């Protein structure tokens, strides 16, 4: 089963070019260790939330931008083996210089529970992070399928992924649990919708808002007030 290492990072906005170079070097190290793809998006429309948001998730400073990304692996065993090799023999797998504060980045391992459409030809990403009660996984999956079939897919969205946290570490400063204000019994979840460009995504959002006008919002299998999201222009895709 495909497995993802998902991450959210705060990068000094002026270091965008250096960060791109960092990604190229990181992929050159990760691919020989078994990674099958790496995708990163640069925040251009990241929402501020009333309760929490992606800026707070990584304690972003005023001069930093949010980056949302994932590394794809054939399965969790491949990912675990790769990280273990890097830890056991760091001299043979040196991490490239990081033009950002890595201690504030958040990351974790996620199993996909829904993969719809295609992940090719992407120019724009909407990335999400939230906490879902573990007991509500099937209800959450049903909701996600309905969203793809009835809302996203028909309005130009290329693809959609929902991934359930299975190996999400606790951090010293930041982590997915703190970011989503996860309560006991809740699991960090990440998801992303993939679009050809921002204009298509924005038009779809306006259409969905118009469709919902005057209607009662459906009951959600999670606390939507703690859901974080943002729009990201494609920065790096190892498949290109």
């Amino acid at each position: 089963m495909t497995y993802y290492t998902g991450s959210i990072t705060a990068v000094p906005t002026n270091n965008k070019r250096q960060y791109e170079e960092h990604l190229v070097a990181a992929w050159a190290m990760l691919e020989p260790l078994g990674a099958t793809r790496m995708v990163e998006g640069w925040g251009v429309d990241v929402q501020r939330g009333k309760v929490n948001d992606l800026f707070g998730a990584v304690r972003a400073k005023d001069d930093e931008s949010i980056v949302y990304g994932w590394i794809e692996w054939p399965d969790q065993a491949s990912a675990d083996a790769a990280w273990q090799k890097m830890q056991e023999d760091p001299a043979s797998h040196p991490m490239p210089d990081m033009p950002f504060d890595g201690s504030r980045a958040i990351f974790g391992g996620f199993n996909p529970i829904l993969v719809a459409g295609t992940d090719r030809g992407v120019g724009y990403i909407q990335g999400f992070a939230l906490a879902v009660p573990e007991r509500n996984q099937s209800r959450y999956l049903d909701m996600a399928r309905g969203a793809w079939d009835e809302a996203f897919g028909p309005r130009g969205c290329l693809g959609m992924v929902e991934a359930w946290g299975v190996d999400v570490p606790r951090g010293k400063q930041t982590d997915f649990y703190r970011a989503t204000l996860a309560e006991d019994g809740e699991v960090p979840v990440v998801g992303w919708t993939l679009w050809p460009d921002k204009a298509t995504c924005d038009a779809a959002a306006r259409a969905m808002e118009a469709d919902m006008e005057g209607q009662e919002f459906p009951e959600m299998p999670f606390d939507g007030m703690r859901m974080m999201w943002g729009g990201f222009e494609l920065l790096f895709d190892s498949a290109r």
Side-chain angles (χ1 to χ4, degrees), residues 132-183:
V132 179
E134 188 169 10
R135 66 181 182 275
N136 288 353
Q137 186 187 57
S138 61
R139 288 179 58 206
Y140 182 80
L141 178 55
D142 288 343
M143 181 202 70
R145 284 186 181 132
W148 169 255
D149 291 338
E150 300 168 16
F152 291 99
R155 292 185 172 88
C157 186
L158 298 173
M160 179 177 178
V161 174
E162 296 280 354
W164 193 262
V166 293
D167 185 15
V168 182
R170 302 279 183 172
K172 293 182 178 180
Q173 294 191 65
T174 54
D175 56 45
F176 271 105
Y177 293 97
R178 287 181 235 191
T180 58
L181 305 178
E183 300 174 355

Side-chain angles (χ1 to χ4, degrees), residues 54-206:
L54 295 176
F55 293 99
V58 290
R59 298 186 181 180
K61 300 176 182 179
D62 291 342
D63 63 347
E64 293 179 327
S65 295
I66 305 301
V67 176
Y68 186 100
W70 60 91
I71 304 166
E72 180 182 298
W73 306 87
D75 47 44
Q76 184 175 354
S78 299
D80 290 347
W83 299 127
Q84 184 173 352
K85 286 179 182 178
M86 285 187 279
Q87 291 173 356
E88 291 178 348
D89 189 9
S92 297
H93 306 93
M95 283 294 294
D97 291 340
M98 297 190 295
F100 61 94
D101 180 3
S103 69
R104 288 185 283 120
I106 62 176
F107 62 92
F110 299 84
N111 276 336
I113 58 173
L114 174 68
V115 178
T118 180
D119 60 1
R120 306 294 165 167
V122 176
Y124 189 73
I125 301 160
Q126 270 199 322
F128 306 84
L130 63 154
V132 179
E134 188 169 10
R135 66 181 182 275
N136 288 353
Q137 186 187 57
S138 61
R139 288 179 58 206
Y140 182 80
L141 178 55
D142 288 343
M143 181 202 70
R145 284 186 181 132
W148 169 255
D149 291 338
E150 300 168 16
F152 291 99
R155 292 185 172 88
C157 186
L158 298 173
M160 179 177 178
V161 174
E162 296 280 354
W164 193 262
V166 293
D167 185 15
V168 182
R170 302 279 183 172
K172 293 182 178 180
Q173 294 191 65
T174 54
D175 56 45
F176 271 105
Y177 293 97
R178 287 181 235 191
T180 58
L181 305 178
E183 300 174 355
D184 290 344
E186 292 185 330
V187 176
V189 173
V190 294
W192 48 89
T193 53
L194 306 167
W195 305 83
D197 48 50
K198 186 176 186 296
T200 304
C201 179
D202 290 347
R206 290 192 296 270

